Every structure is written in structure tokens, then in C-alpha cells.
Amino acid sequence: MKTKDFDFYLPDHLIAQEPPKERGQSRLMTLDRSGAIRSHSTVLQLPEILCGENFLSPSGEKPLLVFNDTKVRKARLFGKSLETGAQVEFLLLEKNESGEWKAIAQRAKRRKVGTWYAFYDCCGNEANRCKISGETEKNEFRFLQFEKEINDDMLEKIGHVPLPPYIKRKDVKEDMERYQTVYAKEAGSAAAPTAGLHFTNELLNNLKENGIESAFVTLHVGLGTFLPVRSENIEEHKMHEEQFIITEPNAAIIENCIKSKRKIIAVGTTSLRTLESAYSSGTLKRGLQNTSIFIYPGYNFKVTNALFTNFHTPLSTLLMLVSAFAGRELVLESYKEAVEKEYRFFSYGDAMLIY
């Protein structure tokens, strides 16, 4: 399969640069993959939709929603070279056992091992420094050794919301709330699980009142989710590992649904990848784990019956996953219709429910 087979036309004006004025006010395309039928509504109508016969089990039980409760860090750092004064940008990914941070560096070839950078707080005062202490074999990433510990308090001083590069503006105060799910709990992500951005506390309560149960997993979003596919053949692409956790209570809820044949709806591709990674012979592995699962057409889904997700970027592993779930041609036809109807795309965009 060729990477180019997952391309599509998208006008720039449909790439959402801002979240909707109010959380939960997005449009929703619903896709019946078995009958290739699309319908159009809003996210606010989700309780009504999920109580419909299409989402009931053979015994009439309502579906289970599975959310990713990871929390986004202010992982984007802007600093200045102490040698040249040049501006620099890093995206922190993960901390290793030596205390160094693995990071993506803008203009990476210029970021040499041994060079020092300073980072400043909102008042322009120097708050921390780091040295590039190493690099990966293929020169893709840098390892940063900071003078002062990088924790949530430090990131509040020097960090920025890690908005994706297709959002062509600087982050603002409101992004720290809107680029975060209302149920975010476990800090560790360098990008948001964006399907969850549509859910308000009111909507979650409404779903619960309508008998729709929820469970939570934690996958810390990193390179495995958003690194672009650079190989011509998609089978040659290697996913980077990401950490995930499933607790005993949540695993039990999900396993009960599997046994009773209730439908399981993954809220976002990260929730789906977590479920599929943890599944083994009817049960889910508990605790802290790693996954580098790459789902593309031909994959046999074991847990997930439906997917609530955003509209994804061309040529991405996320689009390949959605194509594996619903079929490449049907997904691209649906995206074409979304463009024609001027749906908003990507992180702050509209939503899609596939069953």
C-alpha cells in the first residue's frame, strides 16, 4: 500500500485555527460503514444517537464509551542560544532514566551537542537553561539536560501549549483550557487526544443519565501518534513507542462489555490503539505498558465496534487507522463530502462517528 493513496484535497480555510466558541458546539458526521450511509447532526445530539438501535447490543444494552484521560503538558519551549542569541524551539517528548528529555528541535541540524540555551518566564526573566547532551542515531531528536528540574511548575513558567504546526498562530491563555479535555487527569502528553475536546461535563452527564456508561484508559500522546509517514510504502513505516495504562476497575468494565457483546465506542484513535494493544484472548492487560501498534487497512479489530474521532490530516497514520476501520475508499468519499459541506478539520475541527 502506498502512502500517496491516503491523500485528499483540503482547502486551507477548512483547517480550524480556533476552537468553536463553546466546547461541544461542533458538527458531527455519522457514518454507517456497513451500508456506506452518512448523516449529519451535531455533537450535542450524541446521547440520542447512541441510544438508537444501531448502537444497542443483541440483548438491547447500550454502548460503552472509552476515553483517554491523558493530560497535555506545556511541552513546547521557546528559548535563545547562549552562543549566538538565535531563537530556538523544542518540543519535549519524554524523560529518560538519566533525567534527560528527548525532544524535537526546530532546525535540528543547527542544534549541536554541547550547545546551551536559556528559557524565560512571561516577564522576560531567565528561568532555566539546558544543554544538548546527545542526539539519536538518525539525527531526528535531541536529548536535553536542564539545570533545574522540569516539572509542572517549571513548565507553567517557561512552557507553551503544544499546538500542532497547522495552527498558524501563537498559543494564547485560552488554549490551555480548550486544548485539554475536561476529564484530563494524568499529565504526560505532547499533543491532545482531540476527539475528547468535544465533550463537556454537561454532555458527559447527559450520556450517563441516558444509561451510556464510560470507561477511561491513559495513553500519553507522543511521536507514535503524530509523526508523519515518510516511507513510500506504508508497511515500511515504524511507529514510535508510547506509554499507556489501564487500571483494574476500567479493564473490568471493558471486559464485561466484551463478554456481554455490548458495543464499545473508542473516543479517539488513541483510545482505540490502547484497547487493541492491551487485548489478549478476551482480556485486557493491566498496568503500565508500551505500544507501537500501527493500524492500517487489513487490520482485524478485536475490541472496538465504533469510533468517535476528528477529521485527520492527509497521508497520516491517523487517516490510515480510520481507513482500516471503515475502508479507504469510503473514508475518502466521506472526507470529500465533509469538504463540500465545509466541515472544520483537524484538532479544533468537527467530529465523525463511525460504526
mmCIF file of all heavy atoms in Angstrom, residues 218-248:
data_model
loop_
_atom_site.group_PDB
_atom_site.id
_atom_site.type_symbol
_atom_site.label_atom_id
_atom_site.label_comp_id
_atom_site.label_asym_id
_atom_site.label_seq_id
_atom_site.Cartn_x
_atom_site.Cartn_y
_atom_site.Cartn_z
ATOM 1 N N THR A 218 -5.440 5.492 29.696
ATOM 2 C CA THR A 218 -4.485 6.598 29.594
ATOM 3 C C THR A 218 -3.406 6.233 28.592
ATOM 4 O O THR A 218 -2.646 5.289 28.825
ATOM 5 C CB THR A 218 -3.814 6.893 30.954
ATOM 6 O OG1 THR A 218 -4.812 7.093 31.951
ATOM 7 C CG2 THR A 218 -2.933 8.128 30.860
ATOM 8 N N LEU A 219 -3.358 6.935 27.479
ATOM 9 C CA LEU A 219 -2.228 6.827 26.549
ATOM 10 C C LEU A 219 -1.629 8.212 26.406
ATOM 11 O O LEU A 219 -2.323 9.162 26.049
ATOM 12 C CB LEU A 219 -2.651 6.291 25.181
ATOM 13 C CG LEU A 219 -1.483 6.126 24.192
ATOM 14 C CD1 LEU A 219 -1.622 4.850 23.356
ATOM 15 C CD2 LEU A 219 -1.345 7.326 23.256
ATOM 16 N N HIS A 220 -0.341 8.329 26.715
ATOM 17 C CA HIS A 220 0.339 9.609 26.608
ATOM 18 C C HIS A 220 0.745 9.831 25.147
ATOM 19 O O HIS A 220 1.575 9.098 24.601
ATOM 20 C CB HIS A 220 1.545 9.656 27.538
ATOM 21 C CG HIS A 220 1.168 9.608 28.985
ATOM 22 N ND1 HIS A 220 0.196 10.434 29.521
ATOM 23 C CD2 HIS A 220 1.612 8.841 30.020
ATOM 24 C CE1 HIS A 220 0.066 10.193 30.812
ATOM 25 N NE2 HIS A 220 0.908 9.233 31.140
ATOM 26 N N VAL A 221 0.141 10.826 24.551
ATOM 27 C CA VAL A 221 0.279 11.069 23.117
ATOM 28 C C VAL A 221 1.676 11.606 22.816
ATOM 29 O O VAL A 221 2.115 12.606 23.391
ATOM 30 C CB VAL A 221 -0.788 12.063 22.626
ATOM 31 C CG1 VAL A 221 -0.687 12.237 21.108
ATOM 32 C CG2 VAL A 221 -2.176 11.585 23.018
ATOM 33 N N GLY A 222 2.351 10.933 21.902
ATOM 34 C CA GLY A 222 3.697 11.345 21.518
ATOM 35 C C GLY A 222 3.931 11.092 20.043
ATOM 36 O O GLY A 222 3.008 11.161 19.231
ATOM 37 N N LEU A 223 5.155 10.738 19.702
ATOM 38 C CA LEU A 223 5.519 10.583 18.292
ATOM 39 C C LEU A 223 4.748 9.486 17.598
ATOM 40 O O LEU A 223 4.484 9.566 16.400
ATOM 41 C CB LEU A 223 7.022 10.302 18.182
ATOM 42 C CG LEU A 223 7.928 11.505 18.405
ATOM 43 C CD1 LEU A 223 9.374 11.071 18.388
ATOM 44 C CD2 LEU A 223 7.686 12.553 17.340
ATOM 45 N N GLY A 224 4.391 8.420 18.326
ATOM 46 C CA GLY A 224 3.651 7.340 17.690
ATOM 47 C C GLY A 224 2.356 7.808 17.074
ATOM 48 O O GLY A 224 1.889 7.247 16.081
ATOM 49 N N THR A 225 1.767 8.854 17.654
ATOM 50 C CA THR A 225 0.500 9.373 17.152
ATOM 51 C C THR A 225 0.689 10.387 16.026
ATOM 52 O O THR A 225 -0.027 10.353 15.025
ATOM 53 C CB THR A 225 -0.302 10.020 18.310
ATOM 54 O OG1 THR A 225 -0.607 9.003 19.270
ATOM 55 C CG2 THR A 225 -1.580 10.654 17.809
ATOM 56 N N PHE A 226 1.659 11.311 16.174
ATOM 57 C CA PHE A 226 1.664 12.425 15.218
ATOM 58 C C PHE A 226 2.868 12.514 14.295
ATOM 59 O O PHE A 226 2.934 13.421 13.473
ATOM 60 C CB PHE A 226 1.457 13.761 15.949
ATOM 61 C CG PHE A 226 2.518 14.146 16.933
ATOM 62 C CD1 PHE A 226 3.728 14.670 16.524
ATOM 63 C CD2 PHE A 226 2.294 14.014 18.297
ATOM 64 C CE1 PHE A 226 4.703 15.049 17.433
ATOM 65 C CE2 PHE A 226 3.263 14.393 19.228
ATOM 66 C CZ PHE A 226 4.470 14.914 18.785
ATOM 67 N N LEU A 227 3.848 11.596 14.388
ATOM 68 C CA LEU A 227 4.979 11.657 13.469
ATOM 69 C C LEU A 227 4.520 11.325 12.054
ATOM 70 O O LEU A 227 3.805 10.343 11.843
ATOM 71 C CB LEU A 227 6.074 10.681 13.898
ATOM 72 C CG LEU A 227 7.429 10.882 13.224
ATOM 73 C CD1 LEU A 227 8.081 12.164 13.727
ATOM 74 C CD2 LEU A 227 8.345 9.694 13.507
ATOM 75 N N PRO A 228 4.892 12.111 11.042
ATOM 76 C CA PRO A 228 4.433 11.850 9.668
ATOM 77 C C PRO A 228 5.032 10.575 9.095
ATOM 78 O O PRO A 228 6.077 10.097 9.540
ATOM 79 C CB PRO A 228 4.918 13.085 8.900
ATOM 80 C CG PRO A 228 6.055 13.623 9.704
ATOM 81 C CD PRO A 228 5.732 13.318 11.135
ATOM 82 N N VAL A 229 4.337 10.032 8.104
ATOM 83 C CA VAL A 229 4.821 8.847 7.388
ATOM 84 C C VAL A 229 5.744 9.325 6.273
ATOM 85 O O VAL A 229 5.326 10.047 5.377
ATOM 86 C CB VAL A 229 3.645 8.038 6.795
ATOM 87 C CG1 VAL A 229 4.166 6.813 6.041
ATOM 88 C CG2 VAL A 229 2.680 7.624 7.897
ATOM 89 N N ARG A 230 6.999 8.910 6.323
ATOM 90 C CA ARG A 230 7.974 9.374 5.334
ATOM 91 C C ARG A 230 8.315 8.297 4.306
ATOM 92 O O ARG A 230 8.990 8.575 3.321
ATOM 93 C CB ARG A 230 9.251 9.840 6.041
ATOM 94 C CG ARG A 230 9.030 11.059 6.936
ATOM 95 C CD ARG A 230 10.346 11.638 7.428
ATOM 96 N NE ARG A 230 10.131 12.863 8.186
ATOM 97 C CZ ARG A 230 10.081 12.935 9.503
ATOM 98 N NH1 ARG A 230 10.235 11.851 10.222
ATOM 99 N NH2 ARG A 230 9.896 14.092 10.121
ATOM 100 N N SER A 231 7.873 7.074 4.535
ATOM 101 C CA SER A 231 8.163 5.997 3.593
ATOM 102 C C SER A 231 7.126 5.966 2.476
ATOM 103 O O SER A 231 5.963 6.347 2.667
ATOM 104 C CB SER A 231 8.186 4.645 4.320
ATOM 105 O OG SER A 231 6.974 4.434 5.017
ATOM 106 N N GLU A 232 7.546 5.516 1.299
ATOM 107 C CA GLU A 232 6.633 5.431 0.156
ATOM 108 C C GLU A 232 5.584 4.343 0.366
ATOM 109 O O GLU A 232 4.409 4.523 0.043
ATOM 110 C CB GLU A 232 7.434 5.138 -1.122
ATOM 111 C CG GLU A 232 6.575 5.052 -2.377
ATOM 112 C CD GLU A 232 7.385 4.753 -3.624
ATOM 113 O OE1 GLU A 232 8.630 4.706 -3.540
ATOM 114 O OE2 GLU A 232 6.770 4.538 -4.695
ATOM 115 N N ASN A 233 6.004 3.224 0.923
ATOM 116 C CA ASN A 233 5.094 2.121 1.242
ATOM 117 C C ASN A 233 4.756 2.172 2.725
ATOM 118 O O ASN A 233 5.659 2.211 3.565
ATOM 119 C CB ASN A 233 5.736 0.773 0.903
ATOM 120 C CG ASN A 233 6.112 0.665 -0.559
ATOM 121 O OD1 ASN A 233 5.320 0.985 -1.430
ATOM 122 N ND2 ASN A 233 7.330 0.222 -0.831
ATOM 123 N N ILE A 234 3.465 2.155 3.064
ATOM 124 C CA ILE A 234 3.090 2.366 4.462
ATOM 125 C C ILE A 234 3.574 1.230 5.360
ATOM 126 O O ILE A 234 3.837 1.438 6.543
ATOM 127 C CB ILE A 234 1.573 2.592 4.627
ATOM 128 C CG1 ILE A 234 0.771 1.328 4.324
ATOM 129 C CG2 ILE A 234 1.091 3.745 3.780
ATOM 130 C CD1 ILE A 234 -0.683 1.457 4.698
ATOM 131 N N GLU A 235 3.731 0.022 4.803
ATOM 132 C CA GLU A 235 4.193 -1.104 5.616
ATOM 133 C C GLU A 235 5.603 -0.886 6.156
ATOM 134 O O GLU A 235 6.000 -1.531 7.132
ATOM 135 C CB GLU A 235 4.151 -2.402 4.811
ATOM 136 C CG GLU A 235 2.751 -2.852 4.403
ATOM 137 C CD GLU A 235 2.317 -2.296 3.056
ATOM 138 O OE1 GLU A 235 2.968 -1.342 2.558
ATOM 139 O OE2 GLU A 235 1.334 -2.804 2.488
ATOM 140 N N GLU A 236 6.354 0.014 5.550
ATOM 141 C CA GLU A 236 7.727 0.272 5.987
ATOM 142 C C GLU A 236 7.806 1.302 7.118
ATOM 143 O O GLU A 236 8.879 1.512 7.694
ATOM 144 C CB GLU A 236 8.558 0.760 4.796
ATOM 145 C CG GLU A 236 8.705 -0.285 3.692
ATOM 146 C CD GLU A 236 9.343 0.279 2.436
ATOM 147 O OE1 GLU A 236 9.746 1.465 2.440
ATOM 148 O OE2 GLU A 236 9.420 -0.456 1.431
ATOM 149 N N HIS A 237 6.694 1.942 7.419
ATOM 150 C CA HIS A 237 6.688 2.958 8.484
ATOM 151 C C HIS A 237 6.752 2.283 9.850
ATOM 152 O O HIS A 237 6.032 1.316 10.116
ATOM 153 C CB HIS A 237 5.419 3.803 8.394
ATOM 154 C CG HIS A 237 5.286 4.816 9.488
ATOM 155 N ND1 HIS A 237 6.075 5.936 9.567
ATOM 156 C CD2 HIS A 237 4.448 4.864 10.570
ATOM 157 C CE1 HIS A 237 5.733 6.647 10.625
ATOM 158 N NE2 HIS A 237 4.756 6.013 11.257
ATOM 159 N N LYS A 238 7.604 2.775 10.716
ATOM 160 C CA LYS A 238 7.735 2.245 12.068
ATOM 161 C C LYS A 238 7.184 3.265 13.067
ATOM 162 O O LYS A 238 7.610 4.411 13.091
ATOM 163 C CB LYS A 238 9.204 1.953 12.399
ATOM 164 C CG LYS A 238 9.870 0.956 11.449
ATOM 165 C CD LYS A 238 9.200 -0.400 11.488
ATOM 166 C CE LYS A 238 9.903 -1.390 10.552
ATOM 167 N NZ LYS A 238 9.180 -2.690 10.500
ATOM 168 N N MET A 239 6.249 2.809 13.881
ATOM 169 C CA MET A 239 5.666 3.680 14.909
ATOM 170 C C MET A 239 6.601 3.768 16.112
ATOM 171 O O MET A 239 7.203 2.769 16.518
ATOM 172 C CB MET A 239 4.315 3.123 15.363
ATOM 173 C CG MET A 239 3.265 3.042 14.269
ATOM 174 S SD MET A 239 2.510 4.626 13.888
ATOM 175 C CE MET A 239 1.320 4.771 15.216
ATOM 176 N N HIS A 240 6.711 4.957 16.681
ATOM 177 C CA HIS A 240 7.458 5.116 17.927
ATOM 178 C C HIS A 240 6.588 4.645 19.096
ATOM 179 O O HIS A 240 5.364 4.755 19.069
ATOM 180 C CB HIS A 240 7.852 6.581 18.131
ATOM 181 C CG HIS A 240 8.946 7.030 17.229
ATOM 182 N ND1 HIS A 240 10.248 7.188 17.652
ATOM 183 C CD2 HIS A 240 8.949 7.335 15.908
ATOM 184 C CE1 HIS A 240 11.002 7.574 16.630
ATOM 185 N NE2 HIS A 240 10.236 7.680 15.565
ATOM 186 N N GLU A 241 7.252 4.151 20.124
ATOM 187 C CA GLU A 241 6.515 3.644 21.282
ATOM 188 C C GLU A 241 5.877 4.775 22.077
ATOM 189 O O GLU A 241 6.447 5.856 22.211
ATOM 190 C CB GLU A 241 7.442 2.841 22.203
ATOM 191 C CG GLU A 241 7.713 1.439 21.717
ATOM 192 C CD GLU A 241 8.311 0.568 22.808
ATOM 193 O OE1 GLU A 241 8.770 1.127 23.832
ATOM 194 O OE2 GLU A 241 8.326 -0.659 22.635
ATOM 195 N N GLU A 242 4.699 4.493 22.601
ATOM 196 C CA GLU A 242 4.010 5.396 23.522
ATOM 197 C C GLU A 242 3.584 4.590 24.746
ATOM 198 O O GLU A 242 3.273 3.401 24.647
ATOM 199 C CB GLU A 242 2.793 6.028 22.854
ATOM 200 C CG GLU A 242 3.151 6.967 21.708
ATOM 201 C CD GLU A 242 1.932 7.370 20.880
ATOM 202 O OE1 GLU A 242 1.204 6.473 20.426
ATOM 203 O OE2 GLU A 242 1.735 8.563 20.680
ATOM 204 N N GLN A 243 3.548 5.244 25.899
ATOM 205 C CA GLN A 243 3.137 4.576 27.132
ATOM 206 C C GLN A 243 1.629 4.644 27.316
ATOM 207 O O GLN A 243 1.000 5.651 26.993
ATOM 208 C CB GLN A 243 3.799 5.225 28.345
ATOM 209 C CG GLN A 243 5.234 4.816 28.577
ATOM 210 C CD GLN A 243 5.725 5.233 29.952
ATOM 211 O OE1 GLN A 243 5.199 6.169 30.559
ATOM 212 N NE2 GLN A 243 6.722 4.536 30.457
ATOM 213 N N PHE A 244 1.066 3.556 27.839
ATOM 214 C CA PHE A 244 -0.348 3.605 28.212
ATOM 215 C C PHE A 244 -0.570 2.804 29.480
ATOM 216 O O PHE A 244 0.238 1.948 29.866
ATOM 217 C CB PHE A 244 -1.249 3.111 27.073
ATOM 218 C CG PHE A 244 -1.213 1.626 26.808
ATOM 219 C CD1 PHE A 244 -2.076 0.762 27.461
ATOM 220 C CD2 PHE A 244 -0.333 1.088 25.873
ATOM 221 C CE1 PHE A 244 -2.061 -0.607 27.210
ATOM 222 C CE2 PHE A 244 -0.306 -0.267 25.605
ATOM 223 C CZ PHE A 244 -1.173 -1.125 26.273
ATOM 224 N N ILE A 245 -1.676 3.118 30.129
ATOM 225 C CA ILE A 245 -2.043 2.476 31.397
ATOM 226 C C ILE A 245 -3.529 2.136 31.351
ATOM 227 O O ILE A 245 -4.356 2.954 30.927
ATOM 228 C CB ILE A 245 -1.791 3.408 32.599
ATOM 229 C CG1 ILE A 245 -0.349 3.907 32.624
ATOM 230 C CG2 ILE A 245 -2.130 2.708 33.914
ATOM 231 C CD1 ILE A 245 -0.127 5.085 33.565
ATOM 232 N N ILE A 246 -3.858 0.928 31.797
ATOM 233 C CA ILE A 246 -5.259 0.567 32.023
ATOM 234 C C ILE A 246 -5.368 0.056 33.454
ATOM 235 O O ILE A 246 -4.658 -0.877 33.847
ATOM 236 C CB ILE A 246 -5.748 -0.516 31.039
ATOM 237 C CG1 ILE A 246 -5.590 -0.046 29.596
ATOM 238 C CG2 ILE A 246 -7.218 -0.853 31.314
ATOM 239 C CD1 ILE A 246 -6.071 -1.038 28.563
ATOM 240 N N THR A 247 -6.233 0.679 34.239
ATOM 241 C CA THR A 247 -6.396 0.282 35.640
ATOM 242 C C THR A 247 -7.322 -0.925 35.737
ATOM 243 O O THR A 247 -8.103 -1.223 34.820
ATOM 244 C CB THR A 247 -6.972 1.428 36.472
ATOM 245 O OG1 THR A 247 -8.292 1.737 35.986
ATOM 246 C CG2 THR A 247 -6.090 2.674 36.391
ATOM 247 N N GLU A 248 -7.251 -1.599 36.865
ATOM 248 C CA GLU A 248 -8.084 -2.783 37.093
ATOM 249 C C GLU A 248 -9.586 -2.479 36.955
ATOM 250 O O GLU A 248 -10.297 -3.184 36.245
ATOM 251 C CB GLU A 248 -7.779 -3.356 38.478
ATOM 252 C CG GLU A 248 -8.714 -4.470 38.920
ATOM 253 C CD GLU A 248 -8.663 -5.688 38.011
ATOM 254 O OE1 GLU A 248 -7.562 -6.040 37.555
ATOM 255 O OE2 GLU A 248 -9.733 -6.280 37.736
#
